[in-house]
Amino acid sequence: MGDKFDLVIVGGGTAGWMCAAACAAKLDPARFRVRLVESEEIGTVGVGEATLPQMKDFNDFLGLDEVEFMKATQASFKLGIEFVNWGRRGDRYIHPFGTFGRPIGEADFFSYWIRAHRAGTAAPLFDYCFPIVTALQNRFMLPNGDGNDVRSAFAYAYHLDAFLYARYLRAWAEARGIERVEGRIVAVEKDGESGDIAAVTLASGAQVAGDLFVDCSGFRSLLLGTALGVELEDWSHWLPCDSAQAVPSARSDDFTPYTRSTRRKAGWQWCIPLQHRTGNGYVYSSADISDDEAAATLLANLDGEPLADPRVLRFKAGKRHQAWAKNCIAMGLAGGFLEPLESTSIYLVQMAIMHLLTLMPDGAAIDPALPAEFNRVMDVEYDRIRDFLILHYVANEADAPLWQRVTAIDLPDTLAGKIDRFRHRGHVQAYRDGLFGPPSWQAVFVGQGIVPRAADRLADALPADLLDERLAKLAATIADAAATVPSHADFIARYCPAPAP
Ligand SMILES: Cc1cc2nc3c(=O)[nH]c(=O)nc-3n(C[C@H](O)[C@H](O)[C@H](O)COP(=O)(O)OP(=O)(O)OC[C@H]3O[C@@H](n4cnc5c(N)ncnc54)[C@H](O)[C@@H]3O)c2cc1C
């Protein structure tokens, strides 16, 4: 292949085909040869059905047509995640993809809400958020783009069939020049001097050599973990769930534009409505419940008939010490896994792809500054998500052994300081890199029952009667606007109805 830079992607799950599609879209074929090796015999994890709004950015980056993509993946819309029985049993709240109100003068809306809440004159925080009010009525619309209208102040994500998404991206990437190599990798060859990966050997004996390898081989982490020996940084003392069982069920009438997470004795259960079925799963700590009891709990709490037997998956929370070592970069499950409570895995794949495209080496000799920066930003991404997930665990009733343990753990310093500052006057620092802006933290703090002792002093100036008037007006505007929105089911039926599978 002459002077071309040889990029080899190992694995054809969601991570592998997302990476291949991005390479097809953005790398000059005159300079790069991109191959993807996968084994049909081994297959993919195939769960991973709830996403974040950044996925729309990724699809737009590729130039995918939204309607075509949604039809091909049986997708529905997602305005946030509902948490049921988190905090206290009987409670429910939504973490939305949108903001609460707008700043008034110097202070953000949330600070004013705390003030009124402490004075006993505010409605629940969640009444001041258009996507939450809309979602709870099972309604959906696209943001209308008018900055003066509450119907513009939100983003949305998708629920999708991850297997179909990988298949869709495969066809898309292959049509744009990505070469797919079928075969089971049985050995990884390393360069004796540099320790770099030189080639992967397939069961057929064929070898695929490359300059740079992207390890998307799933939990096996064939290249980064196994061949290069980069260990997993174990975070299971903070996030003790280590198992999941997944089962599809018949679609129910309750076609929600949000994911549901219900806290249970030994973990939590997800419910993800797609067009052709509902995805369900129980994420649990195997020290706290047997597989049989977890399966029975899952099956007893479905909205529709099960369409298969539950499938067990095992994992450990954590990330590889370096996502990029030598000439190998791990993405997806090969690089780490944090339980899907906030639907962050596909987002992490997306971030790894974007950073790789930015930091792509010019030749086979890799400047150490490139992996250093890649690892720094990916560490930031993982750390922020880890802290956000732990927050859901620590603020709960200690009503079963798992919950007694997690509510008493030592927190990472980064999270402990955050909770203290929030309790003080509702402070949440915005940051440049990494997931979850202030509205996300505010929603989960308040939803889990952590409310600041006082409001930011910058929110003191507005007279109380004027504040109450503004709050009442916003809640009424949102309620009126939500009433104009079509049902999620009707919207999908008109916009992107998928063919029966
Ligand atoms: C219980 C659970 C729930 C999840 N829910 C969500 C969610 O709601 N949202 C979200 O964003 N993410 C979720 N995820 C994560 C999501 O499923 C994964 O991040 C995503 O599917 C990417 O997987 P992957 O491509 O890294 O790995 P895989 O799907 O495992 O793909 C690995 C690939 O490597 C290939 N391979 C492996 N070994 C070899 C070999 N020896 N030779 C050749 N090929 C090989 C396989 O054939 C396959 O093609 C969830 C994960 C789990 C476990």
Side-chain angles (χ1 to χ4, degrees), residues 265-278:
K265 177 180 101 172
W268 57 276
Q269 181 169 337
W270 81 72
C271 173
I272 301 176
L274 308 182
Q275 290 195 44
H276 60 324
R277 61 167 171 78
T278 300

Side-chain angles (χ1 to χ4, degrees), residues 76 94 121 169 171 228 236-237 244 318 326-327 355 386 447:
S76 67
I94 287 191
T121 58
L169 289 181
L228 295 181
S236 54
H237 52 294
K326 303 282 183 192
N327 62 339
H355 292 306
R386 176 201 65 197

Side-chain angles (χ1 to χ4, degrees), residues 224 229-239 316-323 334-338 375 378-380 382-383 386 412:
L224 189 80
V230 178
E231 300 275 342
L232 193 79
E233 196 175 318
D234 181 351
W235 287 347
S236 54
H237 52 294
W238 284 315
L239 296 167
K316 188 185 272 185
K319 63 160 185 72
R320 300 275 155 194
H321 282 285
Q322 296 114 25
F337 182 63
L338 296 173
N375 292 334
M378 289 311 294
D379 282 353
V380 171
Y382 268 94
D383 290 355
R386 176 201 65 197

